[in-house]
Amino acid sequence: MLVPPQQSLIHITFQRKGEHKTNMPSSKSMLLFMCFVFGSLMQSMKAQDPSKLTLDYYTKTCPHAQQIVRTEMECFVRAEPRNAAIMLRLHFHDCFVQGCDGSVLLDDTATLIGEKQAEQNVNSLKGFDLVDKIKEKLEAECPGVVTCADLLAIAARDAVELVGGPYWDVPVGRLDSKTASLDLANTDIPTAQQGLLTLISKFWAKGLSATDMVALVGSHTIGFARCANYRDRIYGDFEQTSKYNPSSETYLSKVKETCPLDGGDDNISAMDYATPAAFDNAFYEQLIKGEGLLNSDQEMWSSVVGSQTADLVNKYWADPGLFFKQFSDSMVKMGNITNPEGGEVRTNCRFVNT
């Protein structure tokens, strides 16, 4: 497990491209940091069992499972397009804590503390009622067969495709965990304020590369962010990264109306203001313009140590087909992170079976 940012072994501060002041790390500090990251990655990789997921896992036991999920997702997205981003985010937050095991869905009980009150989940993670509805349909068709973890993985794929994104085959056979970890949810899920090296290290710790990270963050093309998560950005270095461009100033004024200096923490803005309801590559153009709403997103383009990530941002903006292919591959890779402790098939996604 990675050391939380506030307890980091090495404090490194970087200035963005174009800034006059530079506080670059020494080569020794950089070496120590990368050794720390590599060590964390190796430790995490040893803890992950080889995936035994298959495409035909439910062929005999619940042959209509994926169609049931698809039908429900079509209804949800038709009623509210934002439900696509909501379901995709649930899957991401699930996989980054204990693996893709449905732990994010567990409610607090007298004997279990769930992950819903974690910093990155409370007041922002939604869609639990949608999961309940899908699970009810699956249980009616095939009682005790399809896991909540698989439900999330399939629903995330359908969510993306229903708003114009790519299709990919989803390997299934995950088990639902009997535990959750509020501590890991607070430390392992990337945050909007973190710098590039911290973000890369968090993805690496899950066996995901910087290439995976830049592609997966492209899902913000259909995402919305709470004011509390982007206030520092729009009242901070937004004008510097956007080079005081008049069109960027117009956009900045609009988001400041939504997100004042004081209050309005739960007000939301689209992370892709050009095509917020369509899964496309327009998000990357915003980063190139220096208009990323979240600090963590803009870091991929503007950080002085982000030559690799900036190159990927350029490529995904220039070639939507390349973005779609890498996003699909990275979603499968992330979805294959399993919980080595195994688990069960929950009958209710909110509670461990009794």
Side-chain angles (χ1 to χ4, degrees):
M1 184 176 66
L2 293 177
V3 177
Q6 64 270 25
Q7 300 173 4
S8 180
L9 298 178
I10 303 172
H11 177 72
I12 303 177
T13 302
F14 297 104
Q15 301 297 318
R16 287 213 167 103
K17 294 174 182 175
E19 292 186 359
H20 297 295
K21 298 174 70 174
T22 304
N23 184 17
M24 291 293 290
S26 66
S27 57
K28 181 178 181 181
S29 294
M30 178 64 80
L31 179 61
L32 287 171
F33 181 84
M34 295 311 295
C35 287
F36 164 63
V37 169
F38 184 74
S40 298
L41 170 63
M42 291 299 102
Q43 183 180 21
S44 173
M45 292 297 286
K46 289 178 181 178
Q48 295 168 6
D49 283 351
S51 175
K52 298 179 181 179
L53 310 182
T54 65
L55 297 178
D56 59 357
Y57 189 84
Y58 295 118
T59 299
K60 295 182 178 180
T61 57
C62 195
H64 302 300
Q66 297 215 20
Q67 186 55 52
I68 290 171
V69 177
R70 174 71 177 211
T71 300
E72 293 302 299
M73 285 302 301
E74 287 175 350
C75 293
F76 298 154
V77 174
R78 188 181 305 117
E80 172 53 76
R82 281 188 58 208
N83 284 331
I86 285 171
M87 294 300 287
L88 180 57
R89 190 164 184 253
L90 268 178
H91 180 48
F92 180 91
H93 282 229
D94 183 37
C95 293
F96 259 67
V97 182
Q98 299 187 164
C100 311
D101 61 358
S103 61
V104 71
L105 303 173
L106 290 170
D107 283 349
D108 290 351
T109 67
T111 57
L112 184 146
I113 299 176
E115 299 162 11
K116 294 180 180 179
Q117 296 302 307
E119 179 184 356
Q120 295 305 302
N121 295 341
V122 68
N123 297 324
S124 65
L125 206 59
K126 305 180 186 301
F128 301 108
D129 58 327
L130 306 183
V131 173
D132 292 340
K133 292 176 182 177
I134 298 174
K135 182 61 171 174
E136 288 174 7
K137 298 285 187 179
L138 290 169
E139 286 297 304
E141 176 80 11
C142 316
V145 174
V146 182
T147 63
C148 302
D150 279 342
L151 183 165
L152 285 180
I154 298 167
R157 185 272 314 280
D158 292 342
V160 169
E161 191 187 17
L162 286 168
V163 290
Y167 173 91
W168 62 92
D169 291 322
V170 178
V172 288
R174 301 165 187 79
L175 292 175
D176 296 325
S177 68
K178 298 181 180 181
T179 63
S181 178
L182 180 63
D183 289 340
L184 289 179
N186 277 322
T187 58
D188 287 13
I189 298 173
T191 73
Q193 291 77 29
Q194 288 173 333
L196 185 60
L197 289 180
T198 299
L199 295 169
I200 289 174
S201 71
K202 287 193 171 188
F203 278 79
W204 276 4
K206 305 302 176 185
L208 300 169
S209 67
T211 299
D212 295 316
M213 181 188 75
V214 179
L216 291 171
V217 172
S219 63
H220 286 175
T221 184
I222 56 170
F224 286 75
R226 293 173 64 236
C227 167
N229 287 326
Y230 66 82
R231 179 182 286 117
D232 288 347
R233 164 78 174 133
I234 63 174
Y235 290 98
D237 65 354
F238 184 99
E239 290 181 300
Q240 289 176 284
T241 59
S242 61
K243 304 185 187 307
Y244 302 92
N245 186 294
S247 63
S248 299
E249 292 290 325
T250 301
Y251 167 57
L252 180 60
S253 296
K254 289 181 179 179
V255 291
K256 282 185 174 180
E257 289 177 6
T258 303
C259 184
L261 271 170
D262 296 305
D265 283 4
D266 291 330
N267 295 345
I268 60 172
S269 292
M271 287 184 271
D272 171 3
Y273 65 80
T275 55
F279 193 99
D280 55 25
N281 65 338
F283 165 77
Y284 295 110
E285 182 183 22
Q286 282 186 223
L287 301 187
I288 293 170
K289 290 180 177 179
E291 298 175 346
L293 189 61
L294 300 182
N295 177 75
S296 54
D297 290 348
Q298 193 59 48
E299 279 280 288
M300 297 190 302
W301 173 259
S302 297
S303 173
V304 295
V305 293
S307 59
Q308 178 190 3
T309 56
D311 183 57
L312 289 166
V313 168
N314 255 328
K315 288 180 178 178
Y316 295 156
W317 165 237
D319 187 345
L322 176 65
F323 165 50
F324 276 23
K325 174 64 167 62
Q326 185 58 58
F327 182 82
S328 300
D329 290 346
S330 296
M331 284 295 293
V332 172
K333 188 175 178 181
M334 181 183 75
N336 287 349
I337 303 172
T338 56
N339 186 333
E341 295 183 4
E344 60 185 6
V345 180
R346 286 186 220 137
T347 56
N348 183 326
C349 293
R350 295 174 181 265
F351 304 103
V352 173
N353 295 340
T354 55

